[in-house]
Amino acid sequence: MAKSVIVYGPQGSGKTLHARAIAEKHGLGRVIDLEDVKLMGERLQRQGFLYLSCSQSYAERAAGLLGTEVIHIDEALASIGDSAAGVSHG
């Protein structure tokens, strides 16, 4: 199973809209909002998850705990061949 990845970017930047395609590109089976993990008291998973976050600092802290990479939404969109044209960057 693939190592979990965290994608961050401002609200309205396309994280949720393109999450499934980004997850598939990275070989990940589940998508979850990183802030929901904190609210629900769940544990971060090192493998198989695409985590989404609006906060770069929170994304970086979580990535440090997981030993995984943090990707800005623009880079994630480029990796799936989508452009950010028309998407709000808040």
Side-chain angles (χ1 to χ4, degrees):
M1 187 175 293
K3 190 181 238 185
S4 292
V5 173
I6 302 171
V7 172
Y8 77 94
Q11 190 171 21
S13 60
K15 294 181 304 294
T16 303
L17 179 65
H18 299 286
R20 180 58 29 219
I22 296 167
E24 288 175 7
K25 173 72 176 178
H26 290 275
L28 303 169
R30 297 229 15 230
V31 176
I32 190 165
D33 190 297
L34 192 56
E35 283 75 15
D36 287 346
V37 172
K38 182 169 60 173
L39 289 173
M40 295 170 16
E42 293 184 12
R43 293 181 55 142
L44 293 170
Q45 301 298 314
R46 293 184 186 274
Q47 296 183 318
F49 280 73
L50 172 65
Y51 291 105
L52 307 176
S53 181
C54 291
S55 168
Q56 181 178 357
S57 62
Y58 187 49
E60 289 172 350
R61 283 193 311 263
L65 293 171
L66 293 172
T68 193
E69 66 181 312
V70 178
I71 303 172
H72 188 271
I73 184 60
D74 291 343
E75 183 182 338
L77 290 175
S79 77
I80 60 169
D82 205 326
S83 86
V87 177
S88 167
H89 288 274

